[in-house]
Amino acid sequence: MSTIEQERESNTVIELHAVSKTYHSAGKAIVALRSVSLRVQRGRLLALLGPSGCGKTTLLRLIAGLETPDQGEIWLERRPVAGPSAWVAPEQRRIGMVFQDYALFPHLTVRENIRFALLSGSPAEKERRVNEMLTLVGLVGKAERYPHQLSGGEQQRVALARALAPAPAVVLLDEPFSNLDAALRKDMREEVRRILTAAQATTVFVTHDQEEALSIADCVAVMNQGAILQVGAPQDIYHRPARREIAEFVGEANFLPAVAEGEFATCALGSLRLAWPANGAVELMVRPESIALTPNQTAGHARVERVAFFGHDQLVWLCLPGGPALMARTLPDVHVAPGMVVSIQVREPVLAYPA
């Protein structure tokens, strides 16, 4: 084993080896996880991204010890905690968990909610740790308030402070932003990332929101039907999805039928250079923001069908003569209107998937 591999091994906090889980309901077997393997390095923030029912919450609960795997092993901090010959109770796994509804005690103040997580230490040590957490999450001035006197974002920060207070090895968050309105959700993403980064916490959070996963995670694991389809940096997941279904799920995408010959493919937009060689019938993935539009009434490629203006950009629906419909995303100062004929230029190279 190389020095780099040894260092990576020693920095691994969470390991799953071929973990499977099946539930039984009304005589039917429901497969939640299918031989899932995963590693999370120390201090990293991993997002489990996928549609409802894909198995991401089951995976989170298995790491927490709230479920037992049918097959496979789970290791935390290089020791087995679940598997054929190992079981460590949830309270002994050094895990902090933030639930979807925050699960704060309504009869306890902010300070008391955080202190509740501290099971060891003298009263002075506990008070010092509570004050550290209050400072970390920016709630020093609201320490004596009760949960019902806080906003949704403040309640979330209390739940996060309580999870971090015992200095856990791992922090798990289940759809942490789902109860917040859209405007607050964006602010809280950055705030939560700041807090977790400052605490140097190894974190796994579950979400079905692609923007949420891409914007705050160091690493994203895309899941569907109980399996992990791809693990990588947010940029890799978005720009280089390993499969067509990942490209469809993560962001918006156009798919154009084409015929590939080596490094190029011919489609309704002409000959486009490929990211890697292919041959035969393929589908090309073109992100809307990879399409540049130029008004051209005499030699245009497509007609504008509809424009949706968002302020910071605009989404344009295009109709190609005898070809598929396309979406393009442009800057707001590009003048396009329904009925206008435009030329299309695609930023290359593009990805090709088997037809």
Side-chain angles (χ1 to χ4, degrees):
M1 184 182 292
S2 70
T3 303
I4 293 175
E5 289 173 328
Q6 287 175 342
E7 185 176 342
R8 186 181 298 122
E9 187 81 19
S10 66
N11 282 332
T12 300
V13 177
I14 304 171
E15 292 179 80
L16 283 79
H17 301 284
V19 171
S20 297
K21 180 67 178 177
T22 300
Y23 295 104
H24 297 274
S25 176
K28 293 180 63 177
I30 302 168
V31 179
L33 291 177
R34 306 169 189 269
S35 194
V36 168
S37 296
L38 181 68
R39 283 186 175 186
V40 184
Q41 304 298 314
R42 190 176 310 281
R44 304 285 282 174
L45 200 164
L46 171 78
L48 295 175
L49 173 65
S52 296
C54 72
K56 54 190 186 293
T57 296
T58 297
L59 183 52
L60 200 76
R61 290 174 62 83
L62 284 166
I63 295 171
L66 303 177
E67 303 278 359
T68 57
D70 297 331
Q71 294 178 321
E73 292 183 328
I74 300 172
W75 289 56
L76 295 177
E77 297 187 291
R78 305 185 71 185
R79 64 168 181 151
V81 296
S85 58
W87 176 254
V88 175
E91 64 273 15
Q92 297 175 337
R93 294 192 183 191
R94 294 190 59 223
I95 283 178
M97 191 154 186
V98 178
F99 294 94
Q100 198 168 342
D101 60 357
Y102 313 141
L104 299 178
F105 297 110
H107 62 293
L108 299 182
T109 65
V110 169
R111 181 182 297 280
E112 291 165 342
N113 264 283
I114 298 172
R115 189 191 295 126
F116 185 86
L118 298 171
L119 303 180
S120 62
S122 68
E125 289 172 333
K126 290 182 179 180
E127 195 62 23
R128 184 167 60 251
R129 183 60 176 168
V130 169
N131 289 333
E132 288 175 0
M133 292 298 99
L134 287 169
T135 301
L136 179 65
V137 300
L139 290 174
V140 172
K142 299 183 178 180
E144 308 311 323
R145 294 192 183 184
Y146 290 90
H148 72 274
Q149 297 173 315
L150 304 175
S151 68
E154 289 167 341
Q155 289 180 26
Q156 184 179 64
R157 280 186 277 165
V158 176
L160 191 53
R162 185 177 62 186
L164 290 169
V170 174
V171 177
L172 306 177
L173 299 95
D174 187 10
E175 299 276 5
F177 308 106
S178 60
N179 289 335
L180 305 177
D181 61 58
L184 182 58
R185 192 179 303 141
K186 188 169 290 188
D187 291 339
M188 284 308 301
R189 286 177 196 159
E190 292 307 312
E191 181 67 6
V192 167
R193 178 171 175 81
R194 178 194 68 78
I195 293 167
L196 291 169
T197 301
Q200 299 182 321
T202 304
T203 306
V204 179
F205 79 96
V206 160
T207 182
H208 64 272
D209 187 317
Q210 301 102 11
E211 182 180 318
E212 191 172 288
L214 296 175
S215 62
I216 70 171
D218 300 313
C219 187
V220 178
V222 182
M223 296 188 66
N224 196 24
Q225 296 183 346
I228 291 180
L229 306 183
Q230 185 176 357
V231 180
Q235 295 86 347
D236 289 334
I237 296 293
Y238 185 79
H239 291 300
R240 290 173 286 279
R243 298 161 68 160
R244 188 188 195 278
E245 63 188 289
I246 300 173
E248 281 185 296
F249 181 70
V250 180
E252 298 159 330
N254 299 292
F255 293 95
L256 300 172
V259 176
E261 291 185 40
E263 296 182 354
F264 290 86
T266 303
C267 65
L269 297 178
S271 179
L272 298 178
R273 184 163 54 90
L274 299 177
W276 54 75
N279 286 286
V282 296
E283 286 187 299
L284 304 181
M285 184 198 78
V286 179
R287 295 288 190 193
E289 63 273 15
S290 296
I291 297 175
L293 305 178
T294 306
N296 189 336
Q297 290 295 130
T298 57
H301 298 97
R303 183 177 300 276
V304 176
E305 294 291 315
R306 179 172 165 246
V307 180
F309 185 75
F310 298 105
H312 49 74
D313 63 8
Q314 56 188 347
L315 195 59
V316 183
W317 282 265
L318 304 160
C319 182
L320 293 170
L326 289 178
M327 288 187 299
R329 191 175 290 279
T330 75
L331 293 172
D333 56 354
V334 176
H335 176 64
V336 287
M340 183 180 289
V341 177
V342 295
S343 293
I344 294 175
Q345 185 173 5
V346 176
R347 189 187 306 122
E348 302 172 274
V350 297
L351 297 186
Y353 299 98

